[in-house]
Amino acid sequence: MSAPTVAEYLIRQLQAAGVDHVFGVPGDYVLGFYRKLADGPLHHIGTTREDTAAFAADGYARCRGIGALAVTYGVGALNVVNAIAGAYAESSPVVVISGAPGIAEQRKDPQLHHRFGPFSFQREIFERITCAVAVLDDPLTACRDIDRCLQALRRYSKPVYLELPRDQLEATGFPIPAAEADRQESDAGALAEAVDETLRRLDRAGAPVILAGIEIHRRGLQDILSQLVLNACIPVAATLTGKSVVGERHAAYLGIYEGAMGPDSTRERVEGADLLLMLGATVNDVDTGIFTAKLDPARLIHASQDQVNIGHHRFADVQLRDFLAALRDSVSRRACAWPPAVALPEPAPAGVGRPMTIRRLIASLNAVLTPDMSVICDVGDCLFAALDLRVHERTHFLASAFYTSMGFAVPAALGAQMAMPDLRPLILVGDGAFQMTGTELSTFSRLGLDPVVIVFNNHGYSTERFILEGPFNDIAEWRYECIGELTGPVNGYRAATEDEFERALRDALATSGRPSLINVHLQAGDASAAMRRLAEHLGRKVHG
Ligand SMILES: Cc1ncc(C[n+]2csc(CCOP(=O)(O)OP(=O)(O)O)c2C)c(N)n1
Ligand SMILES: [Mg+2]
């Protein structure tokens, strides 16, 4: 076989890594690569903006283990900085491909359009928000650079940046045989000791609890976790960023733990456990309820990506996957009798003319959620309300729950549906966040995709309002249900009462081949319980 060009090699390696779709907006510095994409096996998905392409690639990556976008130099690449910083903060493996002026063009240092400083600036910016970068300006090393970046992406589950000078696409590359699998190995002695000590502590514990977090999702360890839960018969809570790493309708599930911000019943079980196994959970202000979590280190076993801490003992070089698998295989079964699933209470019949509330909204959604739906959630009260949503086993709940960038949900759902066409996205989004990126629904319409969008219309930036009220929290009142007139076919509904919502939801779920959107008008002051607790806490800080 003849040697591939640099562009061919990049496309081939992306496909081998699991990419079928590349999101983005073209521009002259990347057009040549777009031509290659169009002529090759990958599908380009055009978006309305570059930041939404990056959110889409992020959603795709969270479902597939890799996502990719291709943008032009400067104006395109700088437009994705926020979304890629979010993917970095939330460990989502996204490949950013940026076109660039050709090497020959750069030689005399000319003032070219889209330039904003030395040609190296863009790479330097992305160095801070990715785990590996490469400027493919040397055909001798370009293939190895591509492999190095993809290897880093898999190893760290973070974004990488590849800059493609436009005159290098056709350069002949020099691939070298693939390196042996880049799987991280555990230190066998440390692993055995960590497992042994954990088992001994588990044997002594009366009421152990597992707290599962986001790394379980990013490393694809959900199955091992649920086998461990069943084998050991230990109840399990999840963090907010880790929501959906365990099926939320199993009797073993305790709910979302978020310190003082989460439900009391979950908090009591987690903080009252005489042994807490924190598995893949990160310690940040969101998951600890602004550091209100009370977790006694003496009763804590914390396994993170590559180390285990047991009380005050630290075991380095123990991979989470190996630790979980070893525990699953060797744990002794505790006595328990869980029913296969818990039935959620049926919501009361819809009240005719009764104003819609957040509580009612979540109860109604719980009643219709099926195993073939994923939930993609934006920030704001929809995220706090989603604490009480119960997603099914093997579906995903995706949110920018830690980095908390508004505008994530609609485009991330585009990526999620492209990555997993069998799962229909339920998108939860505030009116403010929808105004940022909701027009990306246009792309769903164009592709005939059928997400169900619930706009939590509380007439402005409610989260901020709860912290500090002021006119800066007011936004324009849009007729969100009419968006299809602008963007392409969307079934739109306005629902201010329980019966209106019930009707709209039934209709939306029965619609396929186009998006549905329900503009849910909420009463002033209606907020989820979690939002009230959070706002109270943050408000105290803002007001001093
Ligand atoms: C990109 C971005 N800008 C600003 C913020 C700060 N912020 C957090 S919540 C919020 C209000 C969100 O409004 P909306 O989407 O309507 O949700 P609500 O809080 O009203 O439920 C703002 C402005 C943010 N998180 N992300
Ligand atoms: Mg709002």
Side-chain angles (χ1 to χ4, degrees), residues 5 23 31 46 77 80 96 99 213 235 368 371 433 482 501 542:
T5 64
F23 299 89
L31 269 180
V80 309
V96 180
V368 299
C482 301
F501 180 73
V542 171

Side-chain angles (χ1 to χ4, degrees), residues 291-373:
F291 303 115
T292 54
K294 291 201 178 67
L295 304 177
D296 176 1
R299 290 184 282 162
L300 190 65
I301 295 179
H302 185 184
S304 50
Q305 178 38 35
D306 54 10
Q307 70 172 35
V308 176
N309 289 277
I310 303 181
H312 297 286
H313 303 167
R314 175 169 168 268
F315 299 88
D317 296 328
V318 176
Q319 297 296 311
L320 186 58
R321 170 185 297 276
D322 297 336
F323 181 69
L324 283 185
L327 274 187
R328 172 198 60 190
D329 297 340
S330 50
V331 74
S332 47
R333 195 181 159 81
R334 310 173 78 86
C336 70
W338 278 324
V342 279
L344 299 178
E346 276 289 311
V352 177
R354 194 185 299 150
M356 195 58 194
T357 60
I358 296 217
R359 180 195 279 268
R360 169 88 199 173
L361 181 53
I362 295 298
S364 300
L365 293 177
N366 270 333
V368 299
L369 260 185
T370 51
D372 56 3
M373 292 172 85

Side-chain angles (χ1 to χ4, degrees), residues 247-291:
E248 298 185 325
R249 295 186 181 220
H250 193 279
Y253 180 64
L254 297 174
I256 299 292
Y257 174 71
E258 230 202 321
M261 305 299 149
D264 286 341
S265 54
T266 312
R267 181 186 188 189
E268 280 157 20
R269 292 294 298 274
V270 169
E271 294 184 358
D274 55 355
L275 183 66
L276 183 68
L277 247 78
M278 262 173 85
L279 302 177
T282 44
V283 179
N284 56 52
D285 65 346
V286 171
D287 289 330
T288 60
I290 318 183
F291 303 115

Side-chain angles (χ1 to χ4, degrees), residues 379-382 404-406 430-433 436 458 460-464:
V379 305
D381 206 20
C382 54
T404 54
S405 180
M406 286 165 73
D431 48 341
M436 289 192 176
N458 48 21
Y461 300 144
S462 192
T463 305
E464 307 295 333

